[in-house]
Structures are given as structure tokens and as C-alpha cells.
PDB file of all heavy atoms in Angstrom:
ATOM      1  N   SER A   1     -32.035  27.874 -29.531  1.00  0.00           N
ATOM      2  CA  SER A   1     -30.954  27.225 -28.818  1.00  0.00           C
ATOM      3  C   SER A   1     -31.187  27.448 -27.304  1.00  0.00           C
ATOM      4  O   SER A   1     -32.217  27.997 -26.903  1.00  0.00           O
ATOM      5  CB  SER A   1     -29.605  27.807 -29.229  1.00  0.00           C
ATOM      6  OG  SER A   1     -28.538  27.118 -28.605  1.00  0.00           O
ATOM      7  N   SER A   2     -30.267  26.997 -26.492  1.00  0.00           N
ATOM      8  CA  SER A   2     -30.383  27.186 -25.060  1.00  0.00           C
ATOM      9  C   SER A   2     -28.986  27.473 -24.466  1.00  0.00           C
ATOM     10  O   SER A   2     -27.994  26.857 -24.902  1.00  0.00           O
ATOM     11  CB  SER A   2     -30.953  25.919 -24.410  1.00  0.00           C
ATOM     12  OG  SER A   2     -30.960  26.030 -22.973  1.00  0.00           O
ATOM     13  N   LEU A   3     -28.974  28.356 -23.493  1.00  0.00           N
ATOM     14  CA  LEU A   3     -27.712  28.694 -22.851  1.00  0.00           C
ATOM     15  C   LEU A   3     -27.419  27.766 -21.681  1.00  0.00           C
ATOM     16  O   LEU A   3     -26.378  27.833 -21.040  1.00  0.00           O
ATOM     17  CB  LEU A   3     -27.741  30.147 -22.354  1.00  0.00           C
ATOM     18  CG  LEU A   3     -27.837  31.214 -23.446  1.00  0.00           C
ATOM     19  CD1 LEU A   3     -27.925  32.600 -22.827  1.00  0.00           C
ATOM     20  CD2 LEU A   3     -26.682  31.104 -24.400  1.00  0.00           C
ATOM     21  N   GLY A   4     -28.362  26.869 -21.401  1.00  0.00           N
ATOM     22  CA  GLY A   4     -28.142  25.871 -20.367  1.00  0.00           C
ATOM     23  C   GLY A   4     -28.256  26.312 -18.932  1.00  0.00           C
ATOM     24  O   GLY A   4     -27.876  25.629 -18.009  1.00  0.00           O
ATOM     25  N   ALA A   5     -28.816  27.508 -18.711  1.00  0.00           N
ATOM     26  CA  ALA A   5     -28.986  28.048 -17.352  1.00  0.00           C
ATOM     27  C   ALA A   5     -30.091  29.119 -17.357  1.00  0.00           C
ATOM     28  O   ALA A   5     -30.327  29.758 -18.388  1.00  0.00           O
ATOM     29  CB  ALA A   5     -27.665  28.626 -16.851  1.00  0.00           C
ATOM     30  N   GLY A   6     -30.739  29.271 -16.209  1.00  0.00           N
ATOM     31  CA  GLY A   6     -31.747  30.301 -16.094  1.00  0.00           C
ATOM     32  C   GLY A   6     -31.131  31.692 -16.179  1.00  0.00           C
ATOM     33  O   GLY A   6     -29.950  31.878 -15.809  1.00  0.00           O
ATOM     34  N   LEU A   7     -31.894  32.683 -16.655  1.00  0.00           N
ATOM     35  CA  LEU A   7     -31.356  34.022 -16.847  1.00  0.00           C
ATOM     36  C   LEU A   7     -32.131  35.040 -16.004  1.00  0.00           C
ATOM     37  O   LEU A   7     -33.345  34.997 -15.915  1.00  0.00           O
ATOM     38  CB  LEU A   7     -31.458  34.399 -18.333  1.00  0.00           C
ATOM     39  CG  LEU A   7     -30.728  33.518 -19.330  1.00  0.00           C
ATOM     40  CD1 LEU A   7     -30.966  34.023 -20.735  1.00  0.00           C
ATOM     41  CD2 LEU A   7     -29.210  33.471 -19.035  1.00  0.00           C
ATOM     42  N   ASP A   8     -31.375  35.948 -15.382  1.00  0.00           N
ATOM     43  CA  ASP A   8     -31.969  37.070 -14.691  1.00  0.00           C
ATOM     44  C   ASP A   8     -32.033  38.231 -15.708  1.00  0.00           C
ATOM     45  O   ASP A   8     -31.043  38.988 -15.879  1.00  0.00           O
ATOM     46  CB  ASP A   8     -31.073  37.468 -13.488  1.00  0.00           C
ATOM     47  CG  ASP A   8     -31.699  38.591 -12.662  1.00  0.00           C
ATOM     48  OD1 ASP A   8     -32.558  39.322 -13.179  1.00  0.00           O
ATOM     49  OD2 ASP A   8     -31.313  38.719 -11.495  1.00  0.00           O
ATOM     50  N   LEU A   9     -33.119  38.314 -16.417  1.00  0.00           N
ATOM     51  CA  LEU A   9     -33.244  39.296 -17.517  1.00  0.00           C
ATOM     52  C   LEU A   9     -33.127  40.741 -17.052  1.00  0.00           C
ATOM     53  O   LEU A   9     -32.548  41.556 -17.746  1.00  0.00           O
ATOM     54  CB  LEU A   9     -34.563  39.063 -18.248  1.00  0.00           C
ATOM     55  CG  LEU A   9     -34.751  37.664 -18.869  1.00  0.00           C
ATOM     56  CD1 LEU A   9     -36.097  37.594 -19.597  1.00  0.00           C
ATOM     57  CD2 LEU A   9     -33.620  37.322 -19.809  1.00  0.00           C
ATOM     58  N   TYR A  10     -33.676  41.039 -15.887  1.00  0.00           N
ATOM     59  CA  TYR A  10     -33.608  42.413 -15.380  1.00  0.00           C
ATOM     60  C   TYR A  10     -32.159  42.796 -15.127  1.00  0.00           C
ATOM     61  O   TYR A  10     -31.719  43.887 -15.469  1.00  0.00           O
ATOM     62  CB  TYR A  10     -34.427  42.554 -14.083  1.00  0.00           C
ATOM     63  CG  TYR A  10     -34.376  43.941 -13.497  1.00  0.00           C
ATOM     64  CD1 TYR A  10     -35.172  44.966 -14.029  1.00  0.00           C
ATOM     65  CD2 TYR A  10     -33.531  44.247 -12.441  1.00  0.00           C
ATOM     66  CE1 TYR A  10     -35.136  46.247 -13.519  1.00  0.00           C
ATOM     67  CE2 TYR A  10     -33.448  45.527 -11.921  1.00  0.00           C
ATOM     68  CZ  TYR A  10     -34.280  46.537 -12.457  1.00  0.00           C
ATOM     69  OH  TYR A  10     -34.194  47.786 -11.954  1.00  0.00           O
ATOM     70  N   ASN A  11     -31.410  41.909 -14.529  1.00  0.00           N
ATOM     71  CA  ASN A  11     -30.000  42.145 -14.215  1.00  0.00           C
ATOM     72  C   ASN A  11     -29.184  42.302 -15.493  1.00  0.00           C
ATOM     73  O   ASN A  11     -28.295  43.174 -15.603  1.00  0.00           O
ATOM     74  CB  ASN A  11     -29.426  41.016 -13.384  1.00  0.00           C
ATOM     75  CG  ASN A  11     -27.997  41.290 -12.928  1.00  0.00           C
ATOM     76  OD1 ASN A  11     -27.658  42.390 -12.506  1.00  0.00           O
ATOM     77  ND2 ASN A  11     -27.149  40.267 -13.045  1.00  0.00           N
ATOM     78  N   LEU A  12     -29.476  41.476 -16.497  1.00  0.00           N
ATOM     79  CA  LEU A  12     -28.781  41.539 -17.784  1.00  0.00           C
ATOM     80  C   LEU A  12     -29.016  42.877 -18.470  1.00  0.00           C
ATOM     81  O   LEU A  12     -28.126  43.486 -19.041  1.00  0.00           O
ATOM     82  CB  LEU A  12     -29.188  40.374 -18.696  1.00  0.00           C
ATOM     83  CG  LEU A  12     -28.794  38.975 -18.254  1.00  0.00           C
ATOM     84  CD1 LEU A  12     -29.345  37.943 -19.255  1.00  0.00           C
ATOM     85  CD2 LEU A  12     -27.302  38.861 -18.162  1.00  0.00           C
ATOM     86  N   ALA A  13     -30.278  43.325 -18.452  1.00  0.00           N
ATOM     87  CA  ALA A  13     -30.631  44.604 -19.085  1.00  0.00           C
ATOM     88  C   ALA A  13     -29.965  45.781 -18.410  1.00  0.00           C
ATOM     89  O   ALA A  13     -29.628  46.789 -19.029  1.00  0.00           O
ATOM     90  CB  ALA A  13     -32.141  44.783 -19.084  1.00  0.00           C
ATOM     91  N   THR A  14     -29.758  45.641 -17.106  1.00  0.00           N
ATOM     92  CA  THR A  14     -29.107  46.705 -16.330  1.00  0.00           C
ATOM     93  C   THR A  14     -27.612  46.767 -16.589  1.00  0.00           C
ATOM     94  O   THR A  14     -27.012  47.835 -16.679  1.00  0.00           O
ATOM     95  CB  THR A  14     -29.338  46.498 -14.821  1.00  0.00           C
ATOM     96  OG1 THR A  14     -30.738  46.449 -14.572  1.00  0.00           O
ATOM     97  CG2 THR A  14     -28.730  47.617 -13.992  1.00  0.00           C
ATOM     98  N   ALA A  15     -27.007  45.582 -16.727  1.00  0.00           N
ATOM     99  CA  ALA A  15     -25.558  45.520 -16.869  1.00  0.00           C
ATOM    100  C   ALA A  15     -25.039  45.584 -18.295  1.00  0.00           C
ATOM    101  O   ALA A  15     -23.929  45.978 -18.542  1.00  0.00           O
ATOM    102  CB  ALA A  15     -25.046  44.216 -16.210  1.00  0.00           C
ATOM    103  N   ILE A  16     -25.868  45.170 -19.272  1.00  0.00           N
ATOM    104  CA  ILE A  16     -25.460  45.109 -20.664  1.00  0.00           C
ATOM    105  C   ILE A  16     -26.255  46.124 -21.520  1.00  0.00           C
ATOM    106  O   ILE A  16     -27.460  45.975 -21.647  1.00  0.00           O
ATOM    107  CB  ILE A  16     -25.651  43.688 -21.236  1.00  0.00           C
ATOM    108  CG1 ILE A  16     -24.928  42.658 -20.376  1.00  0.00           C
ATOM    109  CG2 ILE A  16     -25.143  43.594 -22.671  1.00  0.00           C
ATOM    110  CD1 ILE A  16     -25.220  41.222 -20.742  1.00  0.00           C
ATOM    111  N   PRO A  17     -25.601  47.130 -22.056  1.00  0.00           N
ATOM    112  CA  PRO A  17     -26.306  48.188 -22.819  1.00  0.00           C
ATOM    113  C   PRO A  17     -27.063  47.661 -24.047  1.00  0.00           C
ATOM    114  O   PRO A  17     -28.085  48.226 -24.424  1.00  0.00           O
ATOM    115  CB  PRO A  17     -25.143  49.104 -23.273  1.00  0.00           C
ATOM    116  CG  PRO A  17     -24.054  48.867 -22.266  1.00  0.00           C
ATOM    117  CD  PRO A  17     -24.165  47.405 -21.910  1.00  0.00           C
ATOM    118  N   GLU A  18     -26.586  46.572 -24.612  1.00  0.00           N
ATOM    119  CA  GLU A  18     -27.216  46.029 -25.835  1.00  0.00           C
ATOM    120  C   GLU A  18     -28.484  45.221 -25.564  1.00  0.00           C
ATOM    121  O   GLU A  18     -29.195  44.807 -26.481  1.00  0.00           O
ATOM    122  CB  GLU A  18     -26.226  45.112 -26.590  1.00  0.00           C
ATOM    123  CG  GLU A  18     -25.030  45.848 -27.159  1.00  0.00           C
ATOM    124  CD  GLU A  18     -23.917  46.069 -26.142  1.00  0.00           C
ATOM    125  OE1 GLU A  18     -24.051  45.557 -25.001  1.00  0.00           O
ATOM    126  OE2 GLU A  18     -22.928  46.748 -26.473  1.00  0.00           O
ATOM    127  N   VAL A  19     -28.785  45.013 -24.280  1.00  0.00           N
ATOM    128  CA  VAL A  19     -29.945  44.199 -23.910  1.00  0.00           C
ATOM    129  C   VAL A  19     -31.123  45.110 -23.528  1.00  0.00           C
ATOM    130  O   VAL A  19     -30.990  46.019 -22.725  1.00  0.00           O
ATOM    131  CB  VAL A  19     -29.637  43.242 -22.733  1.00  0.00           C
ATOM    132  CG1 VAL A  19     -30.918  42.525 -22.258  1.00  0.00           C
ATOM    133  CG2 VAL A  19     -28.594  42.242 -23.151  1.00  0.00           C
ATOM    134  N   GLU A  20     -32.274  44.864 -24.156  1.00  0.00           N
ATOM    135  CA  GLU A  20     -33.499  45.611 -23.848  1.00  0.00           C
ATOM    136  C   GLU A  20     -34.491  44.656 -23.194  1.00  0.00           C
ATOM    137  O   GLU A  20     -34.707  43.556 -23.670  1.00  0.00           O
ATOM    138  CB  GLU A  20     -34.107  46.190 -25.151  1.00  0.00           C
ATOM    139  CG  GLU A  20     -33.194  47.138 -25.907  1.00  0.00           C
ATOM    140  CD  GLU A  20     -33.776  47.579 -27.244  1.00  0.00           C
ATOM    141  OE1 GLU A  20     -34.964  47.236 -27.488  1.00  0.00           O
ATOM    142  OE2 GLU A  20     -33.077  48.209 -28.031  1.00  0.00           O
ATOM    143  N   TYR A  21     -35.108  45.125 -22.109  1.00  0.00           N
ATOM    144  CA  TYR A  21     -36.078  44.264 -21.410  1.00  0.00           C
ATOM    145  C   TYR A  21     -37.228  45.101 -20.893  1.00  0.00           C
ATOM    146  O   TYR A  21     -37.067  45.979 -20.042  1.00  0.00           O
ATOM    147  CB  TYR A  21     -35.358  43.590 -20.229  1.00  0.00           C
ATOM    148  CG  TYR A  21     -36.247  42.646 -19.454  1.00  0.00           C
ATOM    149  CD1 TYR A  21     -37.057  41.691 -20.103  1.00  0.00           C
ATOM    150  CD2 TYR A  21     -36.272  42.674 -18.055  1.00  0.00           C
ATOM    151  CE1 TYR A  21     -37.874  40.830 -19.396  1.00  0.00           C
ATOM    152  CE2 TYR A  21     -37.081  41.779 -17.316  1.00  0.00           C
ATOM    153  CZ  TYR A  21     -37.858  40.885 -18.001  1.00  0.00           C
ATOM    154  OH  TYR A  21     -38.668  40.006 -17.289  1.00  0.00           O
ATOM    155  N   GLU A  22     -38.408  44.844 -21.460  1.00  0.00           N
ATOM    156  CA  GLU A  22     -39.629  45.536 -21.034  1.00  0.00           C
ATOM    157  C   GLU A  22     -40.698  44.441 -20.815  1.00  0.00           C
ATOM    158  O   GLU A  22     -41.506  44.153 -21.695  1.00  0.00           O
ATOM    159  CB  GLU A  22     -40.090  46.514 -22.117  1.00  0.00           C
ATOM    160  CG  GLU A  22     -39.068  47.644 -22.352  1.00  0.00           C
ATOM    161  CD  GLU A  22     -39.554  48.643 -23.399  1.00  0.00           C
ATOM    162  OE1 GLU A  22     -40.731  48.567 -23.795  1.00  0.00           O
ATOM    163  OE2 GLU A  22     -38.736  49.484 -23.815  1.00  0.00           O
ATOM    164  N   PRO A  23     -40.688  43.833 -19.637  1.00  0.00           N
ATOM    165  CA  PRO A  23     -41.571  42.686 -19.344  1.00  0.00           C
ATOM    166  C   PRO A  23     -43.071  42.954 -19.481  1.00  0.00           C
ATOM    167  O   PRO A  23     -43.840  42.043 -19.713  1.00  0.00           O
ATOM    168  CB  PRO A  23     -41.205  42.348 -17.898  1.00  0.00           C
ATOM    169  CG  PRO A  23     -40.614  43.595 -17.322  1.00  0.00           C
ATOM    170  CD  PRO A  23     -39.881  44.219 -18.480  1.00  0.00           C
ATOM    171  N   GLU A  24     -43.474  44.247 -19.368  1.00  0.00           N
ATOM    172  CA  GLU A  24     -44.879  44.565 -19.528  1.00  0.00           C
ATOM    173  C   GLU A  24     -45.335  44.478 -20.977  1.00  0.00           C
ATOM    174  O   GLU A  24     -46.541  44.375 -21.259  1.00  0.00           O
ATOM    175  CB  GLU A  24     -45.183  45.968 -18.975  1.00  0.00           C
ATOM    176  CG  GLU A  24     -44.530  47.124 -19.736  1.00  0.00           C
ATOM    177  CD  GLU A  24     -43.072  47.353 -19.345  1.00  0.00           C
ATOM    178  OE1 GLU A  24     -42.576  46.594 -18.486  1.00  0.00           O
ATOM    179  OE2 GLU A  24     -42.464  48.277 -19.891  1.00  0.00           O
ATOM    180  N   GLN A  25     -44.383  44.476 -21.909  1.00  0.00           N
ATOM    181  CA  GLN A  25     -44.705  44.345 -23.309  1.00  0.00           C
ATOM    182  C   GLN A  25     -44.385  42.982 -23.915  1.00  0.00           C
ATOM    183  O   GLN A  25     -45.076  42.472 -24.773  1.00  0.00           O
ATOM    184  CB  GLN A  25     -43.940  45.422 -24.104  1.00  0.00           C
ATOM    185  CG  GLN A  25     -44.344  46.851 -23.749  1.00  0.00           C
ATOM    186  CD  GLN A  25     -43.631  47.872 -24.621  1.00  0.00           C
ATOM    187  OE1 GLN A  25     -43.121  47.537 -25.684  1.00  0.00           O
ATOM    188  NE2 GLN A  25     -43.596  49.117 -24.175  1.00  0.00           N
ATOM    189  N   PHE A  26     -43.269  42.379 -23.408  1.00  0.00           N
ATOM    190  CA  PHE A  26     -42.851  41.084 -23.915  1.00  0.00           C
ATOM    191  C   PHE A  26     -42.066  40.337 -22.825  1.00  0.00           C
ATOM    192  O   PHE A  26     -41.265  40.940 -22.118  1.00  0.00           O
ATOM    193  CB  PHE A  26     -41.951  41.290 -25.150  1.00  0.00           C
ATOM    194  CG  PHE A  26     -41.510  40.015 -25.825  1.00  0.00           C
ATOM    195  CD1 PHE A  26     -42.424  39.263 -26.590  1.00  0.00           C
ATOM    196  CD2 PHE A  26     -40.200  39.566 -25.703  1.00  0.00           C
ATOM    197  CE1 PHE A  26     -42.035  38.102 -27.171  1.00  0.00           C
ATOM    198  CE2 PHE A  26     -39.814  38.400 -26.333  1.00  0.00           C
ATOM    199  CZ  PHE A  26     -40.731  37.668 -27.072  1.00  0.00           C
ATOM    200  N   PRO A  27     -42.322  39.045 -22.659  1.00  0.00           N
ATOM    201  CA  PRO A  27     -41.713  38.281 -21.556  1.00  0.00           C
ATOM    202  C   PRO A  27     -40.201  38.024 -21.728  1.00  0.00           C
ATOM    203  O   PRO A  27     -39.537  37.607 -20.770  1.00  0.00           O
ATOM    204  CB  PRO A  27     -42.475  36.945 -21.565  1.00  0.00           C
ATOM    205  CG  PRO A  27     -42.926  36.817 -22.979  1.00  0.00           C
ATOM    206  CD  PRO A  27     -43.275  38.210 -23.424  1.00  0.00           C
ATOM    207  N   GLY A  28     -39.669  38.290 -22.867  1.00  0.00           N
ATOM    208  CA  GLY A  28     -38.241  38.056 -23.098  1.00  0.00           C
ATOM    209  C   GLY A  28     -37.456  39.337 -23.281  1.00  0.00           C
ATOM    210  O   GLY A  28     -38.042  40.421 -23.509  1.00  0.00           O
ATOM    211  N   ALA A  29     -36.147  39.233 -23.192  1.00  0.00           N
ATOM    212  CA  ALA A  29     -35.273  40.389 -23.442  1.00  0.00           C
ATOM    213  C   ALA A  29     -34.682  40.279 -24.852  1.00  0.00           C
ATOM    214  O   ALA A  29     -34.652  39.201 -25.444  1.00  0.00           O
ATOM    215  CB  ALA A  29     -34.157  40.404 -22.417  1.00  0.00           C
ATOM    216  N   ILE A  30     -34.271  41.402 -25.396  1.00  0.00           N
ATOM    217  CA  ILE A  30     -33.730  41.414 -26.733  1.00  0.00           C
ATOM    218  C   ILE A  30     -32.267  41.873 -26.699  1.00  0.00           C
ATOM    219  O   ILE A  30     -31.936  42.918 -26.130  1.00  0.00           O
ATOM    220  CB  ILE A  30     -34.518  42.412 -27.644  1.00  0.00           C
ATOM    221  CG1 ILE A  30     -35.992  41.980 -27.684  1.00  0.00           C
ATOM    222  CG2 ILE A  30     -33.934  42.435 -29.043  1.00  0.00           C
ATOM    223  CD1 ILE A  30     -36.876  42.965 -28.436  1.00  0.00           C
ATOM    224  N   LEU A  31     -31.431  41.060 -27.273  1.00  0.00           N
ATOM    225  CA  LEU A  31     -30.002  41.387 -27.395  1.00  0.00           C
ATOM    226  C   LEU A  31     -29.686  41.595 -28.866  1.00  0.00           C
ATOM    227  O   LEU A  31     -29.811  40.682 -29.686  1.00  0.00           O
ATOM    228  CB  LEU A  31     -29.139  40.246 -26.831  1.00  0.00           C
ATOM    229  CG  LEU A  31     -27.632  40.316 -27.108  1.00  0.00           C
ATOM    230  CD1 LEU A  31     -27.043  41.595 -26.516  1.00  0.00           C
ATOM    231  CD2 LEU A  31     -26.934  39.093 -26.523  1.00  0.00           C
ATOM    232  N   LYS A  32     -29.275  42.807 -29.218  1.00  0.00           N
ATOM    233  CA  LYS A  32     -28.988  43.150 -30.598  1.00  0.00           C
ATOM    234  C   LYS A  32     -27.476  43.197 -30.825  1.00  0.00           C
ATOM    235  O   LYS A  32     -26.768  43.801 -30.006  1.00  0.00           O
ATOM    236  CB  LYS A  32     -29.601  44.485 -30.992  1.00  0.00           C
ATOM    237  CG  LYS A  32     -31.141  44.481 -30.955  1.00  0.00           C
ATOM    238  CD  LYS A  32     -31.712  45.806 -31.400  1.00  0.00           C
ATOM    239  CE  LYS A  32     -33.241  45.760 -31.414  1.00  0.00           C
ATOM    240  NZ  LYS A  32     -33.836  47.067 -31.845  1.00  0.00           N
ATOM    241  N   MET A  33     -27.052  42.586 -31.907  1.00  0.00           N
ATOM    242  CA  MET A  33     -25.643  42.577 -32.263  1.00  0.00           C
ATOM    243  C   MET A  33     -25.383  43.253 -33.602  1.00  0.00           C
ATOM    244  O   MET A  33     -26.255  43.199 -34.476  1.00  0.00           O
ATOM    245  CB  MET A  33     -25.120  41.127 -32.345  1.00  0.00           C
ATOM    246  CG  MET A  33     -25.110  40.353 -31.029  1.00  0.00           C
ATOM    247  SD  MET A  33     -24.401  38.719 -31.245  1.00  0.00           S
ATOM    248  CE  MET A  33     -24.512  38.094 -29.587  1.00  0.00           C
TER     249      MET A  33
END
């Protein structure tokens, strides 16, 4: 799907505990529910 807007993954990982972001390993962030 698409959220319809660009995402600042680093900022999301910093502000949301459930988001993991390690760009050196994978270009995307992971949000676990």
C-alpha cells in the first residue's frame, strides 16, 4: 500500500518506539504491531 507522502524514517524511528530503522542493513524501517 502507500501512505501517500514521503517519510522521514530516521525521525519516525526516533519518535516512535515501535519503529526500527537501521539503514546500513536495510533501506526501510520496520513497524511492529
